[in-house]
Amino acid sequence: MNLIRIEPIDKNNWEEAHSISLLKSQEKLVPSVIESLAWAYIKPWDEAFDPYILCKDDKTFGFFYLSYTPNSTNNYWIGGFQIDKEYQGMGLGTQSLKRILDFIQEMHRQCEVISLTIEKSNNHARKLYEKLGFVNQENQDGEIIYKLKLN
Ligand SMILES: CC(=O)SCCNC(=O)CCNC(=O)[C@H](O)C(C)(C)COP(=O)(O)OP(=O)(O)OC[C@H]1O[C@@H](n2cnc3c(N)ncnc32)[C@H](O)[C@@H]1OP(=O)(O)O
């Protein structure tokens, strides 16, 4: 059973989200939680933007957001995905990503394609996405676009 919970960020848990921290060397690979929360307010891509924490038992260990066009079939973007440095390398990244993919399909039944961008140099995360079926679609300016077609 997958015991990972996905919770929307609100006034009760935003400080837990803010406490997630990465290794210094990882900070350039992903927007910070605070930057992502600012985007949720600003909506830079004129799309819906939902930030979430990832939790297990009473611990908050990770973060991601979903940026999307409501009711579209193919405009759903995972971003900001990160696991706190104290919890990395234990399988939580893989389990969380599986849970996130199920969650998106439960919440957005018409979704057929999930996309994301990733820094070319981020080999560790690229391996993780490829393991779960994401395929490298195009490259632009040091970033790669990965897409997963849902069945
Ligand atoms: C769309 C986006 O958001 S892209 C941005 C992705 N996020 C980042 O790069 C932020 C910084 N990195 C992180 O937060 C984490 O390292 C994540 C999310 C990439 C992975 O989280 P983890 O909890 O460490 O993942 P998990 O433990 O499931 O390991 C995944 C794989 O990486 C391997 N791995 C884990 N830690 C390391 C490490 N330090 N060095 C090399 N490989 C590692 C694991 O062995 C596993 O490989 P396997 O499936 O072949 O066994």
Side-chain angles (χ1 to χ4, degrees):
M1 191 168 43
N2 196 332
L3 298 171
I4 290 172
R5 299 192 316 281
I6 293 176
E7 295 183 357
I9 294 188
D10 61 20
K11 64 180 180 184
N12 299 309
N13 61 20
W14 73 272
E15 284 171 292
E16 287 168 39
H18 186 215
S19 72
I20 292 166
S21 79
L22 296 176
L23 298 171
K24 203 88 202 122
S25 59
Q26 295 175 326
E27 287 175 356
K28 285 204 173 76
L29 299 172
V30 71
S32 68
V33 169
I34 281 296
E35 188 174 11
S36 297
L37 292 180
W39 288 347
Y41 179 73
I42 294 163
K43 300 197 171 45
W45 301 291
D46 292 328
E47 294 171 352
F49 192 108
D50 297 343
Y52 296 101
I53 47 171
L54 296 158
C55 321
K56 193 166 187 176
D57 302 323
D58 60 347
K59 292 275 178 249
T60 295
F61 64 83
F63 173 86
F64 75 100
Y65 65 75
L66 183 66
S67 172
Y68 62 101
T69 303
N71 302 317
S72 67
T73 55
N74 61 0
N75 202 26
Y76 295 82
W77 294 78
I78 295 173
F81 179 50
Q82 54 197 283
I83 304 294
D84 185 278
K85 60 179 189 274
E86 301 295 330
Y87 294 89
Q88 291 179 16
M90 303 172 180
L92 284 172
T94 308
Q95 290 171 43
S96 297
L97 193 56
K98 287 182 184 162
R99 179 74 194 96
I100 290 168
L101 298 179
D102 288 346
F103 176 79
I104 293 172
Q105 293 174 79
E106 286 158 19
M107 298 290 285
H108 303 282
R109 299 229 166 244
Q110 59 288 77
C111 174
E112 293 173 5
V113 181
I114 299 175
S115 311
L116 55 88
T117 62
I118 186 163
E119 296 280 330
K120 226 175 238 170
S121 63
N122 196 348
N123 292 327
H124 180 186
R126 283 175 62 179
K127 221 180 96 189
L128 172 58
Y129 291 120
E130 286 168 10
K131 185 170 73 175
L132 295 196
F134 280 83
V135 176
N136 178 354
Q137 294 283 317
E138 20 174 324
N139 300 345
Q140 39 171 250
D141 310 336
E143 287 202 330
I144 297 175
I145 295 180
Y146 271 100
K147 288 187 186 280
L148 175 71
K149 264 199 164 131
L150 303 173
N151 301 320

